[in-house]
Amino acid sequence: MSQSSQSRRDFIATTSIGLLGAAAIPAEQAPTQNPSEPTAGAPPAFGGGPAFGPEVSTNTFAEAEKLVQFDLRPEERTMAAESWRRTLASVYELRVGPRKVTIESPVAPYSQWNPILPGHKAGPAHETFLRSKTDPGPLPDKEDDLAFATLTKLSRWIESRKLTSERLTQIYLKRIERFDPKLRCIITLTKDLALAQAKQADAEIAAGKYRGPLHGIPWGGKDLLDTAGIRTTYGAEPFRDRVPAADAAVVKRLHDAGAVLLAKLSLGALALNDIWFGGQTMNPWLLEEGASGSSAGPGAATAAGLVGFAIGSETGGSIVSPAMRCGITGLRPTFGRVPRTGAMTLCWSLDKLGPMTRSVEDAILVLRAISGPDAGDLSSVPSKLDFDANASIKICASAIFRNG
């Protein structure tokens, strides 16, 4: 008999002797217990549920002993087999009890988790936002060059009406039709909505109502962001037909900024890895490997020029990892900067939503539009953005060292 098996045997023997000793205590010395009072911490009627689980035989326990490397005597196997379903009933009762309480997805924890230590301040003290003044140059002749252009350039061309949102949307739609069968980065294509939003953006810009750098830019959202009337599946088979009634806070802010929702993008099922119910999302630059996850769709779609930018989410690397794998810019915001209202929760104290783009300035343009508190996320906080795209490298380096 192995040392581990012997130690188990010793433990059971010692425990059994202890129980026998307890049974030998005279009744007048034994602590009294009121049978009508449940054990401390036990749910109501604990142990009163019906027997549960499959019928088992002594042979079942004999096979199980091989796995745990522990031998029962024949009489012990018989006792275990006969009492198994009654013993399991209380365990099952504990396990399924909380599941009877339905918690809607928008419900946040009652408490706020704030990573800022008392007496410390977070973020810059000043609010500065200055875009690049660089001329984006003439509009490229090739559609592929437009598809891979940065958001920084696309926004300038659309603002100056050298490029229409509808044309850019059509370019992306054609590329999605061509490349998505290999990449598998689109869960739901929102073609009709995108074309309607693009036409609206062009009309508003022509009328002088320019909303900002995201106006008319087609984008894709990781499919854990709720979209009213549009499937939000979490990449998981049980939720493939789930249709929320309201937009996530980030989606609403991008709608308000005039961005064009082109597609709901893939994620590893329930925000793990890069495999969803439609298959594995692949890296556009090496189709033999996955795009990494869980923001696989945003990474692949942005890198392949299927959207102008994308929104991903990160708990422990889900923006950074696919951004590195697919060769794009991924920004993981400071916790609390971007509200997560209407986004699938993986971990309330770690989840973050952020942009996935083709350049650093692109990421800042998106971050500015989606930042700020929302009542649905108690951990979201006001935050300032100190950004000057025209500052020299020397000035930026000085600010970094000065502010730590």
Side-chain angles (χ1 to χ4, degrees):
M1 183 179 293
S2 66
Q3 182 177 358
S4 59
S5 298
Q6 184 61 48
S7 62
R8 293 190 187 99
R9 179 70 68 185
D10 293 342
F11 171 77
I12 291 176
T14 303
T15 305
S16 300
I17 292 172
L19 291 173
L20 290 173
I25 297 176
E28 62 273 10
Q29 298 180 21
T32 58
Q33 180 177 348
N34 186 348
S36 64
E37 295 179 1
T39 305
F46 178 75
F52 176 81
E55 295 286 354
V56 296
S57 66
T58 54
N59 289 335
T60 305
F61 281 91
E63 293 299 319
E65 290 166 29
K66 297 176 183 179
L67 296 177
V68 299
Q69 299 180 21
F70 177 77
D71 296 326
L72 292 173
R73 292 189 293 271
E75 59 271 23
E76 292 173 334
R77 290 195 200 103
T78 301
M79 181 180 67
E82 292 177 350
S83 63
W84 171 254
R85 298 184 75 244
R86 293 194 305 274
T87 304
L88 190 63
S90 59
V91 177
Y92 178 73
E93 184 178 351
L94 283 174
R95 182 170 67 85
V96 301
R99 293 176 183 238
K100 297 177 182 178
V101 179
T102 301
I103 300 178
E104 300 297 330
S105 56
V107 177
Y110 79 96
S111 59
Q112 178 183 5
W113 185 79
N114 188 349
I116 307 304
L117 295 175
H120 291 259
K121 294 183 179 180
H126 305 285
E127 179 74 33
T128 305
F129 181 76
L130 296 174
R131 298 172 60 190
S132 294
K133 297 179 181 179
T134 306
D135 186 346
L139 199 68
D141 295 327
K142 296 181 179 179
E143 289 187 346
D144 285 356
D145 292 336
L146 279 171
F148 283 100
T150 62
L151 166 58
T152 304
K153 289 186 176 182
L154 291 173
S155 62
R156 291 299 189 189
W157 287 325
I158 288 179
E159 180 184 10
S160 62
R161 299 175 61 188
K162 294 178 181 179
L163 174 65
T164 65
S165 175
E166 187 174 4
R167 182 190 175 195
L168 183 59
T169 301
Q170 292 284 11
I171 289 173
Y172 286 137
L173 285 171
K174 286 191 290 185
R175 290 181 62 82
I176 288 173
E177 184 179 2
R178 179 182 175 188
F179 295 110
D180 185 58
K182 294 182 179 180
L183 298 178
R184 295 186 290 274
C185 61
I186 309 291
I187 293 183
T188 301
L189 185 66
T190 56
K191 179 179 178 180
D192 293 340
L193 173 63
L195 291 174
Q197 288 182 328
K199 290 178 181 180
Q200 179 182 351
D202 289 335
E204 289 178 349
I205 294 170
K209 185 183 176 182
Y210 183 63
R211 302 192 193 190
L214 303 188
H215 202 175
I217 302 295
W219 69 285
K222 185 174 180 178
D223 202 30
L224 52 60
L225 296 171
D226 279 354
T227 41
I230 300 171
R231 289 193 311 160
T232 300
T233 72
Y234 306 157
E237 182 70 35
F239 301 99
R240 67 181 304 164
D241 296 319
R242 176 181 176 271
V243 180
D247 288 324
V250 164
V251 173
K252 185 179 185 303
R253 290 178 182 185
L254 290 174
H255 285 334
D256 292 342
V260 173
L261 179 59
L262 193 57
K264 301 298 292 296
L265 303 176
S266 64
L267 67 157
L270 299 179
L272 296 170
N273 302 316
D274 53 17
I275 300 175
W276 56 291
F277 59 80
Q280 183 177 27
T281 299
M282 311 310 291
N283 178 1
W285 309 121
L286 185 61
L287 292 175
E288 290 76 21
E289 70 175 9
S292 187
S294 65
S295 300
T302 303
L306 308 187
V307 293
F309 69 90
I311 299 294
S313 72
E314 168 149 341
T315 302
S318 292
I319 288 177
V320 173
S321 183
M324 293 176 63
R325 175 72 60 85
C326 297
I328 61 170
T329 298
L331 182 79
R332 176 183 62 194
T334 302
F335 180 84
R337 175 182 280 274
V338 179
R340 300 156 300 170
T341 310
M344 188 200 86
T345 303
L346 197 61
C347 177
W348 275 105
S349 59
L350 290 174
D351 292 345
K352 299 164 285 289
L353 302 176
M356 300 179 73
T357 62
R358 286 189 280 273
S359 79
V360 173
E361 185 173 349
D362 288 5
I364 297 297
L365 296 180
V366 178
L367 180 65
R368 184 170 184 257
I370 62 177
S371 295
D374 180 81
D377 182 356
L378 295 179
S379 294
S380 60
V381 296
S383 55
K384 295 180 180 179
L385 183 64
D386 192 358
F387 174 74
D388 182 358
N390 307 294
S392 68
I393 295 177
K394 184 176 181 180
I395 293 176
C396 291
S398 174
I400 291 173
F401 284 114
R402 182 174 63 253
N403 296 323

